Structure formats: C-alpha cells, structure tokens
Amino acid sequence: MAQPSTPELLDPAVDKKHRSFLSAEHQTDLGVFRPRGPGELLTVDERWTHRLGAAGLVPLCRLVEARTTEDPEVAARRFYFDRLLIAALVDRWRPETHTFHLPCEEMTPTLQDVSYLLGLPCAGAAVGVIDMQADWMNDMHQRFGPVERKEDAPPYVPEFLADARGPTKKWILQFQPTYIHPQANAYAVSRHLEAYLLWLFGWVMFTSGQVHLVTRTLVPYAQSIADAHAEDVPQFSWASAVLAATYRALCDACMKKEALATFAGCPLLLQLWSYEHFAIGRPVVDRSPYPEEWYGEKEEDAPIMASLWCRRWISFMM
C-alpha cells in the first residue's frame, strides 16, 4: 500500500501525553487551571498617558484600571477568570497546529483578535529576550532607591528585590501610583511608570509560573518606555508577543496533569476571545452603545471590544 504523500499533522506521541487523551482513555481525573492575574487593580496616573499612548498600551491599561470613567471614586468591577472555561479550551488545544479542535472544526486566536480585544499594536519591533548584566539588581536599587514618595507610603525595603530571576511583586508595589508624591519631579514619575509597566507585563500580559515575580528580561522594555520622550517612545509589536506567549502557555498547559496547574501567557486574552466567539460560557451583558463618558479626550482613551466584557454588569451566565 502506497504511503500518503503528506504526513499526518497530529502526532500520536503527543496524544499519549495530552490531557484530553488521559481523561478520555484512562479516565484520569484532571483538575482546572489557576490563571495568574493581578491580585490588585492599579490606576493610571495621568502624567503617564502620553508615553503609554505612544507605546500603544493605553487601551489595555484602561481595561484593567481600578476605577471607572463614570465615577473615578468608584472602584471598577473585578474581572474574574472562569477556570472551567479555560480548562475546557486547553483540553481542545493541539500543539502541532496551534489550533483548538472543536465540533465546528478548528479555531485559534489571531493577531486581529489581540488587536481588537486588547487594543495592542501589531506593528513595531519584536519583543525578545534581552541579556541582563549580572549587577542588574544594584542598578535598580540605584535608580529607585532615591525616589521620593508620599509621606504616608511604607518605607522602601530594598530586600524585596532579592531574587535573581526578576523584580518581585512586593518590591514593585512599593511604587504603585497611589504612592506618587504630589510634587514629584519627572524622574520620580518615570520610575513609578517603570514599576507600573513591570506589573502590567508580569501580571496581565506575560504571566508565568513564577507567581511572585516578573522575569528580569522585561525590565529594559519598561525602562525604555518610562525614560523616553513622548515623541521618541520605542514601538514594539506587543500584540505578537502576547499572542506568542499565550500559544506557548496553551502548548504547555495541554500536557499538565496537576490538580490545579498554573496557566501562564495572557489568560485575559484567552477568556475574552472565548466570550467573543462562543455563546457557551459567555456572560450576558448590556449590549447598548457605549456611554459617552467612556470616551476620553484622546483617541487612545476610546473603549475597545473587550470593554463590553470587562466593564458591563453581568446578569447571569449562559
């Protein structure tokens, strides 16, 4: 019998390790995933918006901001991850094709989804691994140590940074927006912006299994944006990087057998993509036109597609 001209796309060796195979063939009781997200919601200081806007990050920052545009004093509704929904998607992911195998054939998140849902730019330089100097922690202490903060802010504790893999969340939150001194100079504002970007990278865009820190290779990206002038902010393809990180997370997760494994990448993107494309598991929200208060003075402050799912009251789940 003649061999087929093209090999099979699906690898039988992958099948034996895949969650769906273990569950269906071996009746393995697999648990749900633990998406890593921000345990706190931070606000965007208005002195940052020109640089965040030039970097193409304002839509995402507004999406996860801790206050609403209707009433700045009212805390925004927290977005909850649906662990069962994420597990159901992971169980249908094939790492060979980077697609979900569904009854309606194959589907996968695309750059267009990332751009429309999160408002991230597709154009720009690639986001890759940058080699860090061995004394990167000393450099950060020198840059952040002298920064003046509010009088009621907790004292600066440099020991919180003591992890060779990257800045810890406890250290980053020492420079959260609410601690900015009312008369802060431009340098202090830039350092608080750098810390905010590290939080955004590590707990929204590029989450990982290291729950308490963000990888140190993202420090140069945060610093380059924080220290740039509005007209010289470097342009990066954040959409491509977030999509690639989510693909990698899906490829890793579909092989995990732990009862409560960590789902890395950008779980926010995955869940919003599911809401946008599937009626099953989708919350019921108010679909009336966005109110005028949602639109800021600048174009980058306009709501995005994800605003429908993150900023509307949920009545019930379908």
Side-chain angles (χ1 to χ4, degrees):
M1 182 177 180
Q3 295 294 325
S5 57
T6 57
E8 292 288 340
L9 290 177
L10 303 185
D11 187 350
V14 172
D15 269 338
K16 296 179 181 179
K17 302 177 183 179
H18 202 283
R19 284 171 54 91
S20 59
F21 179 85
L22 296 175
S23 177
E25 297 297 328
H26 296 288
Q27 306 300 312
T28 305
D29 187 13
L30 301 173
V32 296
F33 287 90
R34 180 174 51 203
R36 177 183 172 190
E40 59 292 307
L41 298 175
L42 303 184
T43 57
V44 176
D45 191 279
E46 294 307 313
R47 288 167 287 189
W48 301 343
T49 53
H50 64 290
R51 277 173 285 182
L52 289 174
L57 295 172
V58 163
L60 180 60
C61 294
R62 295 297 190 196
L63 193 67
V64 298
E65 194 172 16
R67 61 187 179 192
T68 62
T69 53
E70 296 90 336
D71 187 351
E73 300 301 321
V74 177
R77 295 180 294 277
R78 185 180 294 273
F79 182 86
Y80 292 98
F81 289 113
D82 188 338
R83 295 180 177 182
L84 292 174
L85 175 61
I86 291 176
L89 290 171
V90 170
D91 289 349
R92 288 158 178 79
W93 179 261
R94 293 300 306 200
E96 305 97 324
T97 59
H98 286 173
T99 57
F100 294 107
H101 283 219
L102 306 166
C104 59
E105 299 185 353
E106 297 178 59
M107 293 183 68
T108 191
T110 64
L111 279 177
Q112 185 181 60
D113 291 311
V114 185
S115 179
Y116 281 11
L117 286 168
L118 302 183
L120 294 174
C122 297
V127 179
V129 176
I130 297 178
D131 291 333
M132 299 289 290
Q133 299 295 328
D135 61 344
W136 68 272
M137 283 193 288
N138 292 331
D139 180 59
M140 294 198 76
H141 284 312
Q142 292 175 4
R143 287 190 287 116
F144 282 84
V147 172
E148 185 179 9
R149 298 178 298 157
K150 278 186 177 181
E151 295 180 359
D152 58 349
Y156 173 62
V157 183
E159 288 76 16
F160 287 167
L161 186 58
D163 195 309
R165 293 169 294 180
T168 65
K169 192 177 193 181
K170 186 180 292 187
W171 182 88
I172 291 172
L173 292 180
Q174 293 182 108
F175 301 94
Q176 56 185 285
T178 54
Y179 292 161
I180 299 179
H181 195 279
Q183 285 79 43
N185 56 28
Y187 180 80
V189 172
S190 296
R191 297 285 67 77
H192 281 83
L193 172 58
E194 181 180 348
Y196 172 83
L197 287 169
L198 290 174
W199 171 85
L200 186 73
F201 293 160
W203 283 270
V204 178
M205 296 169 64
F206 309 110
T207 70
S208 69
Q210 303 296 335
V211 179
H212 69 291
L213 58 83
V214 55
T215 176
R216 63 180 183 272
T217 58
L218 291 170
V219 171
Y221 293 102
Q223 183 181 359
S224 65
I225 296 173
D227 288 339
H229 296 290
E231 60 276 8
D232 296 322
V233 175
Q235 305 297 303
F236 296 103
S237 179
W238 296 115
S240 301
V242 167
L243 184 64
T246 305
Y247 276 10
R248 179 176 181 178
L250 285 164
C251 291
D252 289 341
C254 69
M255 301 296 176
K256 291 183 177 180
K257 309 173 184 63
E258 299 88 342
L260 194 60
T262 299
F263 180 84
C266 185
L268 177 64
L269 167 65
L270 183 60
Q271 188 158 328
L272 292 175
W273 176 82
S274 176
Y275 286 173
E276 193 68 30
H277 292 277
F278 305 112
I280 299 175
R282 173 194 296 172
V284 176
V285 296
D286 179 11
R287 290 182 173 273
S288 60
Y290 294 147
E292 293 184 4
E293 309 88 73
W294 284 22
Y295 293 84
E297 296 180 359
K298 299 179 181 179
E299 183 179 352
E300 58 263 25
D301 276 338
I304 52 180
M305 289 177 66
S307 302
L308 176 69
W309 305 108
C310 293
R311 300 180 60 183
R312 298 295 180 109
W313 287 113
I314 297 175
S315 302
F316 57 88
M317 303 293 292
M318 293 183 66

